[in-house]
Amino acid sequence: MSKATKRVYEPRSNYPDRTKSEEKSFSELNVRIKSLDTLLLLLSSKEECVLLSVFSHIMEFTRRQDENVLELKEHHMLELLLEKKIFIEAENVMIRRFALYLITALLDNTDMNTLEPEKTEGILEVAYRFYLNESDEFCIEYLSHLMNMCLRDPKVAQGIVENGELLHKFKAVIATSENPDTIFNSIEAVHKILLIQGAEEMLEFTMLPDFPIDRIVCEVTNSFQEIRLAALKVLKTLLVDTSEQSVFEPLHRCFYVLEQLVKAFCENPQGPDAVEIIGVLATALRSEKMTKLFFEHNLFDLIVEHLKDQIDILSLELRCTIISIFAETAKYAQYLARMHIAEITDMLLSCLMENDPAPATFVILGLNRMADHPDALRRIVAEYDVGALRKLVSIFHSPEVIIKTREQAAEFINRLLIGAYRDTAGLLMDLDIPSVLTGTIQQGLPTLSIDLILSLLVIIESLGQNEEYRTVLGQHRPLTEQIAQLLMRSYAHSILVNNIFRCLCTIVDEQAVREVLLENYIVSSIKRALKSLSNLIKTAVTNFILQTTRFSEFIDAYIDRGILEVLMMFQKHAFCVSTWGPAIESILSKCPTMKFCIRNCLTFTDITAGKDLYVSRKKFNDFRTFQDILRSDCSPLEAVLVVNFDRLEADEGDLMKVPSFCIPISDGSGDHTWCYCKRPADPNLPKYLLTLNQSLTKHGLVENPAKVRSAIDFDNVAKRCKTIAQVVDNAMNENLKILDLNSTEECSRHVVRCHLQELRHVYHTNFIPLGMVRSGCQFERSILFKALADQIGLPCTLERSVDGRMLYNEVPMPLEIAKDVHCDKKTLQFMSWRMLRPTHVVDLMYNVGDLYPMQSRQALQYLRLY
């Protein structure tokens, strides 16, 4: 039959046997199940009606009481759902919803920290697959909650960030979902992701085009409190970044955030989330761009208006919390005048005085910043009359107050000392600030923070600028003791050690302070600081040495107790510590004995007058050897010449008796007692000085003593040198044969040596007074010349030759150059001695008093170098 003529209806010849079909089919089964284990077995069924019925019964069971959920856990319901992959492949959406509801209920009653990492990863792996393929709103709600719980583990959060496809859908859900629970859990999850990211990672994550920042900002005014709080947490985390390259770079977004926050606050200033809103707003206003928008769009006035309207009904705690906004805006000086007019200063002072024992940290921070405005500063100072300053002192002194508040209180007092020194410092002294500072510093680390201690030290420095207050601080010995003890415990913090030394430099002018420091191991602290690895500490301690070499007790301590030794042994540090070398020179300049031993030279500024000068005939390669000789009760092998113009008789305390068994029998030990002295009397030196002054007077060469250090009489340098040289020659020419300068024959050195041997027997020691030496060559004469020149104010050096056998003197005699004002004697006479340069050698042996230009033939002959 053709296709066109096909019949529409054809009769059927075969029909199915209904009897046989009914016999083969499985009839419906209704069974009452009372065992949970049996019920759970039915979850392996492939029939949707069975699964729906089982899930329905399990959900009804779990909703009765929380203990039923625990029973399901005991029957390994969680493992069973994971084995079935949470029925991700079920076509019936109700089955998927039931499964997700049960697993979230189970995890809500599970401590996520107790789960094995492998199990958590397994849950998330299934949840990720489910989340990517699911479109049902309720399933996404459960999955969002599930992921939010698992994100407590940082590793899990990092996994979401690295899964680009999942992250894309996650952000799309936040941007489009209308389900409140989904929004809440998703925003919470975003917050957890942000917490595990670094600054660069967070910037990269939030700058993606699809990051739902606008939706998060919008949720600040959501009707559900939980969503509002979640959004505020995310915003606070993001607003911490105040850089230009942030998610809030566009101005419109910045204003939108501020507008939303202000709107949320003004709608309910006493709401349960008001504190969180204020916290986020204060964080936002740390940015200058945000603050500018805040003032330009009158959001500041709006906040102030609402605050004043409800100030009577707001609690003190909430009122002070709101003020944290203004503490942040006060950072920018251009808005201080507007804030002061709005009575922000009064609000901050009110919070300061009403909170007991202390207000929040930002209250004092705000006052500190407002003090940059003159009117605000005057208002703060006026509050002293009602105890504002007393309150600040009690805050930083009290260990019960949190450390940040104590730090701000101390820093605020420092700011007040700068802006209103007279009123603040005077009242602090009335409040017995030395005792308060002593008690505070005594609390020590770790009760005190480094920043708090630094602020306390600055207070001491500021008060120490006034001589009267410095005296009061110095007389309070416990304060200095606590600072010295704090120094010994602070070497782990270089900045703290630096500031302690700087503080001590301020008050060390007081005698009591110096005594206490020396009693409290300041020398040990200085040694430790000099050996520190920190250049900051080494710079601080050498600066302290420079400041304290003005005092003789410190000079003695530095020399006798090893400070000078450490400085000399570690001179390599001078390459990185610029004050290392000056510290050495500062000590040596006050002790000509040690300087000559170490440097083998005394310059124009090294004055020997007023102190003992010990010069050994032997040249020491290690100054510590000579130092040990001076310390120990022994006599050196070589003569040591002692110079002192003020000791006509030896002190009884300096005399040392020689034991009888040390006295030779031939000297008759039984008839008398031998004594020797390292600081012997010298009655002849004053006579030499008197003779010199008489000669100078006779020739009209005496200068005005008041001008000796301010001007140099270059015209009479040669004449005065001649006069001194003649006095020296008259004093030391006994039994000496004077030779010609051109002679190659040595002078009578053996005569001098024999003479010194005789003096050694007279004084029972080799410490010989210079004035008692009657026979002397260049060595002895140069010492006397330097000593007399220093007494009358003539610039003069004392130099030791390379081999150490000869001493010689140099004087400055600048040569005038025509038409050069810098070489004019009228200009040079007012030059500092430190800038003078030696030009001539003084002849004390041959042509007594003659001056030889340096490097001349006569000078080289005199030094026996030619």
Side-chain angles (χ1 to χ4, degrees):
M1 182 182 293
S2 66
K3 201 171 188 179
T5 59
K6 185 178 180 180
R7 297 173 59 179
V8 177
Y9 175 75
E10 293 182 358
R12 295 180 62 178
S13 58
N14 296 323
Y15 294 92
D17 188 347
R18 294 180 178 179
T19 304
K20 292 183 179 179
S21 298
E22 291 177 358
E23 289 176 354
K24 292 181 179 180
S25 65
F26 188 82
S27 61
E28 182 178 345
L29 176 65
N30 294 318
V31 180
R32 296 190 61 177
I33 299 175
K34 294 185 177 181
S35 171
L36 187 58
D37 290 331
T38 306
L39 186 65
L40 295 179
L41 290 175
L42 294 178
L43 290 176
S44 300
S45 173
K46 301 293 184 180
E47 298 186 42
E48 291 183 357
C49 60
V50 175
L51 292 175
L52 287 172
S53 179
V54 170
F55 276 127
S56 176
H57 282 78
I58 294 176
M59 284 187 62
E60 182 182 353
F61 176 70
T62 57
R63 287 174 175 173
R64 290 175 186 170
Q65 57 181 1
D66 293 339
E67 287 76 6
N68 292 345
V69 179
L70 300 177
E71 187 175 351
L72 285 174
K73 287 176 61 178
E74 293 176 358
H75 286 77
H76 306 289
M77 181 69 180
L78 178 62
E79 290 76 6
L80 182 59
L81 289 173
L82 291 176
E83 182 182 348
K84 302 295 182 182
K85 298 183 180 179
I86 324 178
F87 295 89
I88 186 175
E89 298 176 354
E91 295 182 0
N92 192 312
V93 68
M94 293 303 299
I95 295 176
R96 301 199 301 272
R97 290 179 182 180
F98 281 142
L100 288 172
Y101 169 80
L102 285 176
I103 196 168
T104 52
L106 290 168
L107 291 178
D108 280 337
N109 288 271
T110 302
D111 184 1
M112 299 299 293
N113 295 325
T114 61
L115 289 179
E116 295 292 334
E118 295 78 8
K119 181 176 288 189
T120 305
E121 292 175 2
I123 296 173
L124 282 171
E125 184 181 355
V126 176
Y128 290 167
R129 290 174 53 198
F130 212 146
Y131 193 82
L132 286 171
N133 300 322
E134 188 56 67
S135 59
D136 180 65
E137 183 66 32
F138 288 102
C139 290
I140 290 178
E141 174 189 336
Y142 292 132
L143 288 167
S144 299
H145 180 64
L146 180 62
M147 289 193 296
N148 185 30
M149 286 190 295
C150 294
L151 284 176
R152 296 169 187 171
D153 187 347
K155 292 183 179 179
V156 174
Q158 189 63 37
I160 287 187
V161 176
E162 295 172 356
N163 192 329
E165 186 180 359
L166 174 68
L167 192 61
H168 178 73
K169 181 170 183 178
F170 179 69
K171 290 184 286 188
V173 168
I174 298 177
T176 59
S177 177
E178 297 297 331
N179 186 314
D181 288 323
T182 302
I183 291 296
F184 167 72
N185 285 296
S186 298
I187 295 178
E188 280 280 325
V190 170
H191 181 243
K192 290 185 175 69
I193 292 173
L194 293 175
L195 290 180
I196 60 100
Q197 292 181 323
E200 295 182 0
E201 294 174 336
M202 184 185 298
L203 179 63
E204 182 180 354
F205 176 64
T206 56
M207 291 296 286
L208 294 174
D210 56 349
F211 185 75
I213 181 61
D214 293 324
R215 177 62 186 270
I216 294 173
V217 175
C218 181
E219 297 304 329
V220 170
T221 55
N222 194 289
S223 57
F224 293 98
Q225 179 184 348
E226 292 81 2
I227 296 178
R228 295 198 301 271
L229 292 176
L232 289 171
K233 286 193 294 184
V234 173
L235 288 178
K236 190 170 185 178
T237 303
L238 294 175
L239 287 167
V240 170
D241 182 8
T242 58
S243 64
E244 292 297 328
Q245 296 181 348
S246 69
V247 69
F248 294 103
E249 180 181 358
L251 285 177
H252 71 274
R253 185 170 291 160
C254 292
F255 177 69
Y256 182 41
V257 171
L258 291 174
E259 186 181 37
Q260 284 289 90
L261 292 171
V262 173
K263 178 182 177 181
F265 170 75
C266 293
E267 286 179 352
N268 188 6
Q270 301 185 67
D273 54 353
V275 175
E276 285 74 15
I277 294 173
I278 293 301
V280 177
L281 186 56
T283 304
L285 293 175
R286 293 174 187 171
S287 166
E288 186 174 4
K289 179 170 61 177
M290 291 278 194
T291 305
K292 184 178 180 181
L293 292 172
F294 185 67
F295 280 91
E296 287 181 350
H297 293 272
N298 297 321
L299 298 177
F300 167 77
D301 298 322
L302 187 61
I303 290 284
V304 172
E305 181 181 350
H306 275 77
L307 179 59
K308 290 182 177 179
D309 289 343
Q310 303 197 26
I311 196 167
D312 295 331
I313 60 176
L314 291 175
S315 65
L316 176 62
E317 181 180 0
L318 182 57
R319 190 167 73 246
C320 292
T321 302
I322 295 171
I323 290 178
S324 65
I325 300 173
F326 310 125
E328 294 297 341
T329 57
K331 180 168 59 174
Y332 305 102
Q334 61 267 36
Y335 307 116
L336 292 181
R338 187 171 170 183
M339 293 175 63
H340 181 68
I341 294 173
E343 301 179 353
I344 301 303
T345 308
D346 293 329
M347 295 181 188
L348 290 168
L349 286 170
S350 175
C351 287
L352 172 67
M353 300 305 298
E354 293 178 15
N355 280 278
D356 194 35
T361 305
F362 55 76
V363 174
I364 304 176
L365 174 63
L367 285 169
N368 193 2
R369 291 172 173 173
M370 287 297 298
D372 290 337
H373 188 263
D375 293 337
L377 179 61
R378 282 190 283 272
R379 177 67 186 88
I380 294 169
V381 173
E383 201 74 5
Y384 287 178
D385 295 336
V386 294
L389 189 59
R390 184 186 298 274
K391 183 68 174 288
L392 291 171
V393 171
S394 66
I395 288 173
F396 80 68
H397 177 64
S398 175
E400 299 176 358
V401 179
I402 62 173
I403 195 64
K404 287 296 181 183
T405 305
R406 300 176 70 185
E407 292 172 4
Q408 284 298 328
E411 186 177 344
F412 186 30
I413 291 176
N414 284 321
R415 176 64 186 81
L416 294 173
L417 283 170
I418 296 173
Y421 184 84
R422 182 178 178 182
D423 296 328
T424 307
L427 185 53
L428 284 175
M429 301 310 293
D430 293 339
L431 294 174
D432 193 17
I433 193 65
S435 299
V436 177
L437 290 170
T438 302
T440 306
I441 296 175
Q442 192 173 11
Q443 296 171 17
L445 296 168
T447 303
L448 304 178
S449 68
I450 302 298
D451 290 338
L452 177 55
I453 297 175
L454 294 179
S455 297
L456 298 180
L457 294 174
V458 174
I459 292 175
I460 297 174
E461 289 182 48
S462 299
L463 294 174
Q465 295 173 2
N466 181 283
E467 185 176 354
E468 179 184 350
Y469 300 152
R470 184 177 67 237
T471 302
V472 176
L473 292 172
Q475 291 174 349
H476 194 78
R477 298 174 69 91
L479 176 60
T480 309
E481 290 178 1
Q482 290 302 321
I483 296 175
Q485 292 174 15
L486 176 66
L487 176 61
M488 291 189 289
R489 302 190 298 266
S490 303
Y491 279 91
H493 313 283
S494 58
I495 185 67
L496 180 55
V497 175
N498 172 67
N499 281 264
I500 291 175
F501 276 119
R502 192 179 68 186
C503 175
L504 291 176
C505 287
T506 307
I507 60 176
V508 78
D509 287 346
E510 301 302 318
Q511 177 66 29
V513 172
R514 298 196 293 272
E515 293 175 356
V516 172
L517 289 177
L518 291 173
E519 292 171 359
N520 284 270
Y521 312 106
I522 187 65
V523 174
S524 299
S525 297
I526 291 175
K527 280 186 182 179
R528 184 175 178 184
L530 290 172
K531 297 177 181 179
S532 170
L533 296 178
S534 169
N535 287 338
L536 179 63
I537 293 179
K538 291 197 285 282
T539 302
V541 69
T542 48
N543 275 323
F544 179 77
I545 292 173
L546 286 170
Q547 293 292 328
T548 52
T549 48
R550 298 172 290 156
F551 310 110
S552 58
E553 57 265 47
F554 273 93
I555 289 292
D556 295 339
Y558 293 158
I559 295 175
D560 297 337
R561 296 165 66 178
I563 300 300
L564 178 61
E565 179 181 347
V566 175
L567 287 168
M568 294 299 299
M569 294 300 104
F570 294 91
Q571 290 188 70
K572 60 183 179 181
H573 296 320
F575 290 103
C576 52
V577 180
S578 60
T579 50
W580 193 277
I584 296 175
E585 297 305 322
S586 180
I587 296 174
L588 294 180
S589 66
K590 303 300 189 301
C591 183
T593 297
M594 294 311 301
K595 179 164 186 179
F596 191 72
C597 177
I598 295 172
R599 303 293 190 217
N600 295 304
C601 169
L602 293 180
T603 63
F604 299 130
T605 56
D606 297 319
I607 307 303
T608 60
K611 52 183 74 73
D612 285 322
L613 172 63
Y614 293 83
V615 180
S616 173
R617 290 186 61 85
K618 179 181 179 181
K619 180 180 178 181
F620 293 95
N621 293 325
D622 190 340
F623 74 96
R624 291 174 292 183
T625 305
F626 184 57
Q627 197 172 17
D628 290 338
I629 291 174
L630 296 178
R631 288 174 181 168
S632 57
D633 297 335
C634 66
S635 176
L637 298 178
E638 294 287 343
V640 176
L641 301 179
V642 184
V643 181
N644 189 290
F645 284 84
D646 303 323
R647 194 166 44 245
L648 300 179
E649 295 182 1
D651 296 335
E652 290 292 334
D654 294 332
L655 295 176
M656 296 185 178
K657 294 182 180 180
V658 179
S660 58
F661 62 84
C662 295
I663 301 175
I665 299 176
S666 60
D667 289 335
S669 59
D671 298 333
H672 59 275
T673 304
W674 276 12
C675 293
Y676 72 95
C677 181
K678 289 188 175 182
R679 301 177 70 241
D682 195 337
N684 289 339
L685 282 184
K687 295 178 183 178
Y688 298 158
L689 180 59
L690 179 61
T691 302
L692 173 60
N693 286 327
Q694 290 173 350
S695 299
L696 293 173
T697 304
K698 179 179 178 181
H699 296 91
L701 300 176
V702 177
E703 290 185 334
N704 184 350
K707 296 184 178 180
V708 167
R709 293 293 180 264
S710 61
I712 303 171
D713 185 6
F714 286 114
D715 292 330
N716 293 321
V717 167
K719 296 178 182 178
R720 301 178 82 203
C721 287
K722 185 78 171 180
T723 304
I724 299 174
Q726 289 173 349
V727 173
V728 172
D729 181 62
N730 292 333
M732 295 188 173
N733 66 353
E734 187 177 284
N735 299 325
L736 285 185
K737 178 183 176 182
I738 302 302
L739 303 175
D740 183 73
L741 178 63
N742 297 318
S743 173
T744 57
E745 184 180 351
E746 291 288 341
C747 69
S748 304
R749 294 183 184 275
H750 65 282
V751 176
V752 177
R753 190 178 299 108
C754 292
H755 178 58
L756 293 177
Q757 290 285 351
E758 293 174 2
L759 291 176
R760 183 183 68 176
H761 287 290
V762 172
Y763 287 98
H764 308 299
T765 180
N766 256 334
F767 287 98
I768 300 172
L770 180 63
M772 305 309 293
V773 179
R774 303 298 300 167
S775 296
C777 290
Q778 286 102 325
F779 193 98
E780 295 76 18
R781 294 186 181 208
S782 296
I783 299 173
L784 182 56
F785 185 91
K786 171 65 174 173
L788 292 173
D790 288 345
Q791 291 289 332
I792 67 169
L794 176 68
C796 168
T797 69
L798 178 64
E799 304 276 351
R800 187 192 287 267
S801 62
V802 176
D803 61 6
R805 297 173 58 191
M806 180 184 292
L807 302 186
Y808 58 95
N809 304 104
E810 297 169 331
V811 293
M813 285 286 289
L815 301 176
E816 291 187 86
I817 300 177
K819 299 181 181 180
D820 189 344
V821 296
H822 298 288
C823 292
D824 189 344
K825 287 185 178 179
K826 293 181 179 179
T827 303
L828 293 173
Q829 67 176 341
F830 298 104
M831 183 183 293
S832 169
W833 284 26
R834 195 175 300 277
M835 298 175 66
L836 294 175
R837 293 294 178 265
T839 60
H840 290 72
V841 177
V842 183
D843 187 341
L844 299 176
M845 282 298 299
Y846 307 103
N847 303 313
V848 176
D850 284 3
L851 301 180
Y852 305 138
M854 294 178 64
Q855 304 303 322
S856 66
R857 182 177 64 83
Q858 294 92 334
L860 297 177
Q861 283 180 317
Y862 178 74
L863 299 176
R864 289 295 183 255
L865 299 175
Y866 182 77

